[in-house]
């Protein structure tokens, strides 16, 4: 489970991209994160695949929408997302690493999942085979149980926020 990271450029529609400033590939954020590609656009922000040049690994970078000047309430929600998410450790939950700011850009970093969103899979295929649907539902149930054990509620569980890796794990 994740906030909005994952999938590929098809998750970000052309219409939604035209309304937002997209960080071009090669952009260096906070002197550390080199943008590789846009992964998705969500209600709160945009998610990029980036290379952490300090640790030499790929992560996802979630950036608050730059065209909306973040107010105190939005920044508080953004920070709370990090604090709450860090309480949950489970193999089916994307791990949040850090929160930061680069000028007017507010961001957080998280594990990059090499896969696609469940929404993309459903749009492409129409439906899942029963065994595949049960496996994904089991993964999600385990992830939610781990979150609930820490008194964390996801609040935005939907196919666009479920990432499925190449092995079919959610």
């Amino acid at each position: 489970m994740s906030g909005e990271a994952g999938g590929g450029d098809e998750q970000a529609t052309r219409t939604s991209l035209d309304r937002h400033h997209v960080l071009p590939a090669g952009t260096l954020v906070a002197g550390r994160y080199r943008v590789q590609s846009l992964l998705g656009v969500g209600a709160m922000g945009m998610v990029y695949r980036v290379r952490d040049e300090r640790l030499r690994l790929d992560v996802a970078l979630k950036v608050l929408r730059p065209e909306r000047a973040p107010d105190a309430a939005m920044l508080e929600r953004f920070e709370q997302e990090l604090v709450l998410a860090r309480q949950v450790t489970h193999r089916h939950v994307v791990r949040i690493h850090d929160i930061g700011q680069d000028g007017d850009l507010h961001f957080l970093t998280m594990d990059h999942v090499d896969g696609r969103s469940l929404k993309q899979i459903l749009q492409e295929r129409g439906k899942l085979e029963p065994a595949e649907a049960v496996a994904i539902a089991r993964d999600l149930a385990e992830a939610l149980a781990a979150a609930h054990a820490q008194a964390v509620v996801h609040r935005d569980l939907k196919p666009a926020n479920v990432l499925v890796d190449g092995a079919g794990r959610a």
Side-chain angles (χ1 to χ4, degrees):
M1 283 185 335
S2 142
E4 296 150 23
D9 290 335
E10 54 276 314
Q11 186 173 6
T13 66
R14 200 47 35 210
T15 305
S16 68
L17 288 178
D18 291 342
R19 292 188 311 228
H20 310 298
H21 173 71
V22 176
L23 296 174
T27 300
L28 189 63
V29 176
R32 178 174 180 173
Y33 304 105
R34 180 85 52 198
V35 174
Q36 295 177 345
S37 62
L38 177 68
L39 295 174
V41 177
M44 239 177 113
M46 302 171 81
V47 181
Y48 298 88
R49 179 181 183 147
V50 300
R51 180 76 175 173
D52 181 335
E53 295 191 342
R54 184 178 304 159
L55 298 179
R56 294 184 299 277
L57 54 94
D58 291 344
V59 297
L61 178 84
K62 182 176 184 177
V63 177
L64 282 179
R65 291 180 180 265
E67 74 278 1
R68 287 180 19 193
D71 59 17
M74 180 183 275
L75 287 175
E76 185 176 328
R77 270 192 12 236
F78 197 62
E79 289 179 14
Q80 196 156 21
E81 179 179 339
L82 170 78
V83 171
L84 290 174
R86 288 198 52 83
Q87 294 175 23
V88 182
T89 302
H90 190 273
R91 70 181 179 274
H92 296 298
V93 176
V94 171
R95 185 82 173 145
I96 305 287
H97 299 286
D98 197 10
I99 191 167
Q101 183 175 351
D102 185 356
D104 293 337
L105 202 67
H106 298 271
F107 65 87
L108 62 81
T109 60
M110 62 188 92
D111 291 338
H112 174 265
V113 176
D114 193 14
R116 299 182 305 151
S117 73
L118 181 56
K119 177 181 179 181
Q120 291 169 318
I121 293 168
L122 292 171
Q123 285 174 335
E124 177 185 299
R125 293 175 32 199
K127 66 179 182 175
L128 302 176
E129 292 298 320
E132 186 180 15
V134 168
I136 289 172
R138 184 179 301 118
D139 291 350
L140 294 177
E142 289 177 17
L144 289 170
H148 293 172
Q150 297 298 317
V152 173
V153 178
H154 189 284
R155 295 187 195 192
D156 197 21
L157 185 59
K158 59 187 178 186
N161 289 345
V162 174
L163 304 176
V164 181
D165 68 15
R169 290 182 300 261

